Amino acid sequence: MVNDILKDTDLQMQKAMESYKTELGKLRTGRAHSGLVDSIKVDYYGNETPLKNVANVTVSDARTIVITPWESQLVKVIEKAIQNANLGLNPIGEANLVRVPIPPLTEERRREMVKVVKGIAETSRIAVRNIRRDSLDRIKELLKNREIDEDMERRAQDKIQKTTNAFVEEIDRLVQTKEMELMKV
């Protein structure tokens, strides 16, 4: 029973970490990478479809993403979807592809992006701590129902805290890495 709670805690914290990494990947650092457009969905025959399911996304150089749709009539649809995504990108539609030039970041914009990264990190830390709280509550409930003894409760609490600390440290490390990446000119 306790092992199930510990496994569940770890799994939920891993999901929170993956969500955080996904959010970080969406942030523009001045260099082109396909992750910038991963979250974009396009109208494909009336269905909201992820861009990567209707086109090939490649990076042609450090400042340009090239999107080659599998059907040429999607060029305008993809162009419009990118503009509507509010990523600060201005796509250029051509005959059978869309070029997305990545503008250089200004110093002021870099500082704003660092603040956004720190805000996302804090949200992720809160999510991890909420998972810890819920798991500790479940452990206390087991103790209250006399399904475990106090020693087992303490060991479980220690393991949950160590897991929480490890995930918070990983979030902090990713924040530092992303901040250095953003501030590098």
Side-chain angles (χ1 to χ4, degrees):
M1 183 99 33
V2 171
N3 287 336
D4 292 340
I5 293 172
L6 294 174
K7 285 179 187 174
D8 189 42
T9 300
D10 193 58
L11 186 65
Q12 287 181 0
M13 287 185 183
Q14 285 177 358
K15 286 180 182 177
M17 181 62 77
E18 288 303 315
S19 174
Y20 175 62
K21 288 178 181 177
T22 301
E23 288 298 314
L24 277 185
K26 293 178 186 177
L27 293 176
R28 193 161 61 85
T29 60
R31 293 189 56 82
H33 63 90
S34 60
L36 289 172
V37 294
D38 276 351
S39 63
I40 295 176
K41 297 197 183 309
V42 296
D43 182 26
Y44 185 66
Y45 295 109
N47 294 322
E48 289 292 310
T49 308
L51 178 62
K52 62 185 174 185
N53 291 355
V54 297
N56 187 23
V57 180
T58 57
V59 176
S60 66
D61 60 53
R63 297 227 176 258
T64 309
I65 298 172
V66 177
I67 302 167
T68 310
W70 296 327
E71 298 176 22
S72 59
Q73 74 260 22
L74 288 175
V75 170
K76 292 284 183 204
V77 175
I78 291 171
E79 203 176 343
K80 186 175 181 182
I82 292 170
Q83 288 170 340
N84 291 341
N86 293 326
L87 296 173
L89 302 174
N90 294 313
I92 302 166
E94 295 178 10
N96 58 352
L97 59 88
V98 178
R99 290 189 193 282
V100 184
I102 308 298
L105 294 174
T106 63
E107 183 71 21
E108 180 181 330
R109 184 72 177 130
R110 289 175 193 274
R111 293 193 191 289
E112 287 174 19
M113 296 295 277
V114 168
K115 287 179 185 175
V116 169
V117 167
K118 289 181 179 180
I120 295 170
E122 186 56 32
T123 302
S124 297
R125 282 189 210 97
I126 290 169
V128 167
R129 289 179 186 131
N130 285 342
I131 294 166
R132 175 190 63 190
R133 183 197 63 224
D134 294 343
S135 297
L136 291 176
D137 288 346
R138 289 169 58 192
I139 295 289
K140 287 177 186 173
E141 188 67 30
L142 289 177
L143 179 67
K144 182 178 160 188
N145 295 336
R146 296 190 177 160
E147 295 177 43
I148 61 171
D149 60 14
E150 289 181 12
D151 289 340
M152 194 176 281
E153 178 205 21
R154 246 180 261 112
R155 283 193 300 271
Q157 286 177 345
D158 289 345
K159 285 182 182 177
I160 290 170
Q161 187 59 49
K162 285 179 183 173
T163 303
T164 301
N165 291 345
F167 279 99
V168 168
E169 286 172 15
E170 177 70 9
I171 289 170
D172 292 341
R173 188 186 62 72
L174 289 172
V175 167
Q176 287 179 330
T177 303
K178 191 68 169 186
E179 186 175 348
M180 287 177 11
E181 187 181 309
L182 282 167
M183 295 311 289
K184 190 170 83 176
V185 179

